Amino acid sequence: MSKKINSEIYPNSPLVEVIFEIRFLGEPVVECRRDIFFELVRQDYPKVLVPPTKEGSFVALEPYRFEREDSSSGIMLAMNKFSYYSRKYLGFNEFKKEVMKLINKFKKAYPKINKLQRNGFRYVNIIPFAREKGIIPLDNFLKIELQMPTSIPRKYNNISIGFVAETNGGSITTRVETMVAADETGEAILLDIDFAKGKNLSIADVRKYINESHKYARQLFEDLITDNYRMFLRGETL
């Protein structure tokens, strides 16, 4: 296991989005009373983003988004799920505080939704890199060993892998992919960590779920990054 870090937030954190989600059996009341919930959050999340219609999709299952004016965070609400996302992460304590505030508003708008089918906590990290002699320097950032035949050299031009690991009562899905920046000015490694737990869940226990989810997701991140990269995240060196 990784050594405990001194600060919750790294100065050079690669986090671009953190998400907490709950899912439940589809309830038409969510769609019928979406305006009731919006009135409870309108002051902080005034922007309304309506999902586009897509062929083969079910409109009721596509979430509406209520965002802050600066798009730094928002809420997704559909007939069978609710989530909060932050693109300007100020640390877990602040994140959890906002989640619990919004969950209380959700319970006020939809008091009959008590049982949950799933909860999830997701870390989305973008790690910029420069190629070394045309090769991705994966070992500079992540401790991932790909077991390949000896005939295949450990010199990767592109990477796209994913794996699901069972944990105590849940599972963690991890994706590692290389990607080109949206403005095509450089490349980056996507490190996407998603902890999920299902079965016999209650909305009354969301505080416990988010604490547990964060613990597993953060620990996996710490276990995956190299010591040198951790020094860079702390603002020291690489």
Side-chain angles (χ1 to χ4, degrees):
M1 302 291 280
S2 300
K3 182 171 64 176
K4 186 177 180 180
I5 61 173
N6 295 323
S7 175
E8 184 187 14
I9 309 173
Y10 288 122
N12 295 327
S13 174
L15 272 175
V16 294
E17 191 169 39
V18 181
I19 306 154
F20 180 76
E21 178 182 88
I22 58 173
R23 294 190 183 185
F24 40 88
L25 289 174
E27 285 284 354
V29 68
V30 175
E31 191 171 15
C32 296
R33 300 185 64 185
R34 191 179 282 121
D35 62 314
I36 302 298
F37 178 78
F38 179 56
E39 283 303 320
L40 295 174
V41 302
R42 179 195 292 268
Q43 183 174 349
D44 294 325
Y45 301 92
K47 289 173 60 177
V48 180
L49 304 176
V50 179
T53 303
K54 294 182 289 188
E55 184 178 354
S57 67
F58 299 95
V59 176
L61 299 181
E62 295 296 324
Y64 273 56
R65 290 178 183 248
F66 307 129
E67 282 195 343
R68 293 191 183 276
E69 286 287 4
D70 63 358
S71 301
S72 62
S73 61
I75 302 157
M76 290 190 289
L77 180 66
M79 195 171 77
N80 65 341
K81 61 186 174 183
F82 165 91
S83 64
Y84 169 70
Y85 57 91
S86 175
R87 299 176 181 131
K88 190 177 181 181
Y89 190 61
L90 300 177
F92 176 64
N93 289 334
E94 287 297 319
F95 183 85
K96 179 173 69 172
K97 180 180 178 181
E98 188 65 15
V99 167
M100 295 311 303
K101 184 176 78 173
L102 293 173
I103 287 291
N104 287 335
K105 293 180 185 294
F106 178 88
K107 290 192 293 186
K108 184 176 181 179
Y110 312 115
K112 293 185 178 181
I113 299 178
N114 298 306
K115 295 181 179 180
L116 305 179
Q117 292 186 308
R118 180 187 187 274
N119 81 88
F121 185 93
R122 187 178 175 193
Y123 270 144
V124 182
N125 301 274
I126 301 295
I127 305 172
F129 72 89
R131 292 178 181 262
E132 297 179 357
K133 297 182 179 179
I135 302 303
I136 300 166
L138 184 65
D139 293 343
N140 289 351
F141 306 99
L142 302 177
K143 295 182 289 187
I144 295 177
E145 292 290 336
L146 303 179
Q147 298 298 321
M148 296 292 189
T150 55
S151 58
I152 301 178
R154 295 184 74 255
K155 297 179 179 180
Y156 308 118
N157 292 315
N158 285 294
I159 297 172
S160 180
I161 59 174
F163 50 90
V164 180
E166 295 298 315
T167 66
N168 184 21
S171 64
I172 289 185
T173 301
T174 306
R175 287 196 302 130
V176 180
E177 295 182 2
T178 48
M179 56 188 293
V180 178
D183 58 5
E184 298 185 356
T185 59
E187 294 180 285
I189 298 169
L190 167 69
L191 174 58
D192 190 331
I193 298 172
D194 189 356
F195 175 87
K197 185 172 184 177
K199 298 181 180 179
N200 302 318
L201 304 179
S202 169
I203 198 168
D205 293 325
V206 164
R207 184 180 298 274
K208 180 180 72 173
Y209 301 148
I210 191 172
N211 284 331
E212 179 185 33
S213 300
H214 169 258
K215 172 186 172 183
Y216 281 109
R218 179 60 185 260
Q219 188 62 62
L220 179 57
F221 175 80
E222 294 296 328
D223 289 345
L224 280 174
I225 63 175
T226 65
D227 291 339
N228 281 343
Y229 186 51
R230 184 176 291 107
M231 290 175 65
F232 168 77
L233 297 183
R234 285 174 173 159
E236 297 172 7
T237 184
L238 179 58

